[in-house]
Amino acid sequence: MKKKYSVLILFTIFLEILLLTGCGQNNDEDNLRKKILAEVEYLDSTITSILNRMNHISFQNYTVSIKQVNEEESSETGTQEGSQSGGSTTQGSEDGGSKGESGNKNEKINVSEMTRSSILNQEEKTPEWELIKGEIEDIYTSWNTVIIDLNKIGVNNYDILDFSKTLDNATIAIKNEDKIVATAEMAKLYTYIPKYIEKVTEESQKNLKEVKSSLINAYAAVEENNWTKVNEELKTGEEILSRIMNNTNFVNEHSFNVNKIYVTFSELQNSISLQDKDVFYLKYRDTVKELDAF
């Protein structure tokens, strides 16, 4: 009887160890999955930001910019604004101006101003190269860690190596400030995003990244004025979007977001016949914004 009781205790202990080990492994796998999703989302947002900066595309209606002005210019601006609001402010500004004449008029100060972001009002389409160069360097900082995590979940090694090569090619094009090549290489870089999350997320989420990839490929084709390719890429995106729409459970759960994506994507397709870059950028911006809302 004692022997049977001892065996029962040992069996119970063994079972508890197995359960605890299994829970630990599940927690580790879940943490790794969340970590990879966060890392891929970072790559996604940084690549998207670089592509948007190629044409000053912003998801915000207003942006804050900093510029340097002479202290004397700043004082004059303040005086003018004061004159419009009341005479007493003007007098104060004049007194301050007389006192400041003995100071250093060439001293520079930073002034912030809020300007409306507009694609149509841009006088030039020069990419924001300094910001772009900083962001491409940021990708290198995190990429080595991402490689290790992607290997842990068995991502195809060629897809990892090709990302590294494409990243180098994109960096060279950005360093040379070659807009067309840089845009094409960054679009190619994004094609790996759906592949990296395939094993850590549901099918429809991966498909949304594929829709965005086709949209970005179309964006790169616009830079080359290759409207035939633009149309082909958007047709590919439409096919993938149709698969998402056929997933009833997913659509019911995210009906508002999915429907907005469908509408903005359709509007973009309908505008292709115009072959107008700015109209494309406007509708591209709205569609990407909705895709990123997930």
Side-chain angles (χ1 to χ4, degrees), residues 40 43-44 47-48 51 143 150 155 158-160 162-164 166-167 183-198 206-218 220 229 233 236 240:
V40 175
L43 293 175
D44 182 318
I47 292 170
T48 303
L51 286 163
W143 176 235
L150 293 177
V155 171
Y158 289 107
D159 290 334
I160 296 174
D162 286 346
F163 185 96
S164 295
T166 306
L167 178 60
T183 303
E185 293 296 333
M186 293 305 300
K188 183 180 177 183
L189 209 56
Y190 192 90
T191 61
Y192 296 99
I193 297 297
K195 298 176 183 179
Y196 292 163
I197 66 168
E198 187 173 10
K206 187 200 78 168
N207 288 340
L208 285 170
K209 297 296 185 186
E210 290 175 331
V211 172
K212 184 175 175 180
S213 182
S214 70
L215 185 60
I216 287 173
N217 286 334
K229 186 178 179 182
E233 291 291 347
T236 300
I240 300 168

Side-chain angles (χ1 to χ4, degrees), residues 30 38 44 49 98 118 134 142 195 206 219 225 227 229 266 288:
D30 189 52
D44 182 318
S49 176
S98 62
S118 174
S142 61
K195 298 176 183 179
K206 187 200 78 168
Y219 175 85
N225 284 310
W227 292 96
K229 186 178 179 182
S266 298
V288 170

Side-chain angles (χ1 to χ4, degrees), residues 113-148:
E113 59 181 4
M114 184 173 286
T115 56
R116 183 174 178 83
S117 300
S118 174
I119 292 172
L120 299 180
N121 289 338
Q122 293 176 45
E123 295 180 359
E124 57 181 354
K125 289 292 191 293
T126 303
E128 300 173 272
W129 288 119
E130 291 307 310
L131 295 173
I132 289 171
K133 289 172 184 177
E135 288 187 320
I136 197 75
E137 288 184 24
D138 289 341
I139 294 179
Y140 278 96
T141 303
S142 61
W143 176 235
N144 290 333
T145 302
V146 179
I147 289 175
I148 295 171

Side-chain angles (χ1 to χ4, degrees), residues 11-246:
F11 178 76
T12 304
I13 293 171
F14 178 71
L15 186 61
E16 287 177 353
I17 292 172
L18 284 177
L19 290 173
L20 289 171
T21 303
C23 289
Q25 288 176 344
N26 289 336
N27 287 335
D28 289 343
E29 289 174 2
D30 189 52
N31 289 336
L32 179 60
R33 182 186 69 83
K34 291 178 180 177
K35 185 169 183 279
I36 290 171
L37 281 174
E39 290 169 340
V40 175
E41 283 301 328
Y42 167 76
L43 293 175
D44 182 318
S45 62
T46 307
I47 292 170
T48 303
S49 176
I50 289 172
L51 286 163
N52 287 347
R53 291 189 189 283
M54 292 291 180
N55 291 291
H56 296 260
I57 295 172
S58 173
F59 296 145
Q60 306 298 324
N61 290 330
Y62 289 88
T63 57
V64 177
S65 59
I66 306 294
K67 67 176 182 178
Q68 281 194 332
V69 298
N70 291 327
E71 188 174 10
E72 185 178 11
E73 293 175 8
S74 178
S75 298
E76 289 175 355
T77 303
T79 301
Q80 292 171 1
E81 291 175 351
S83 300
Q84 294 172 358
S85 60
S88 60
T89 307
T90 305
Q91 181 63 42
S93 298
E94 288 174 354
D95 292 342
S98 62
K99 292 178 182 178
E101 287 178 358
S102 58
N104 184 7
K105 293 182 179 180
N106 293 322
E107 183 178 349
K108 297 284 187 178
I109 60 173
N110 290 329
V111 176
S112 61
E113 59 181 4
M114 184 173 286
T115 56
R116 183 174 178 83
S117 300
S118 174
I119 292 172
L120 299 180
N121 289 338
Q122 293 176 45
E123 295 180 359
E124 57 181 354
K125 289 292 191 293
T126 303
E128 300 173 272
W129 288 119
E130 291 307 310
L131 295 173
I132 289 171
K133 289 172 184 177
E135 288 187 320
I136 197 75
E137 288 184 24
D138 289 341
I139 294 179
Y140 278 96
T141 303
S142 61
W143 176 235
N144 290 333
T145 302
V146 179
I147 289 175
I148 295 171
D149 290 336
L150 293 177
N151 274 311
K152 287 179 181 177
I153 61 170
V155 171
N156 189 310
N157 211 34
Y158 289 107
D159 290 334
I160 296 174
L161 291 173
D162 286 346
F163 185 96
S164 295
K165 292 176 183 177
T166 306
L167 178 60
D168 291 341
N169 292 335
T171 302
I172 292 170
I174 288 170
K175 182 187 71 172
N176 295 334
E177 299 188 358
D178 187 330
K179 183 183 179 183
I180 292 177
V181 175
T183 303
E185 293 296 333
M186 293 305 300
K188 183 180 177 183
L189 209 56
Y190 192 90
T191 61
Y192 296 99
I193 297 297
K195 298 176 183 179
Y196 292 163
I197 66 168
E198 187 173 10
K199 294 185 179 181
V200 294
T201 191
E202 59 179 301
E203 183 71 14
S204 293
Q205 291 287 358
K206 187 200 78 168
N207 288 340
L208 285 170
K209 297 296 185 186
E210 290 175 331
V211 172
K212 184 175 175 180
S213 182
S214 70
L215 185 60
I216 287 173
N217 286 334
Y219 175 85
V222 167
E223 290 300 320
E224 301 173 348
N225 284 310
N226 188 344
W227 292 96
T228 300
K229 186 178 179 182
V230 171
N231 195 44
E232 290 171 355
E233 291 291 347
L234 292 182
K235 281 185 177 179
T236 300
E238 181 186 22
E239 292 170 4
I240 300 168
L241 190 55
S242 295
R243 294 205 300 266
I244 297 172
M245 299 298 291
N246 290 332

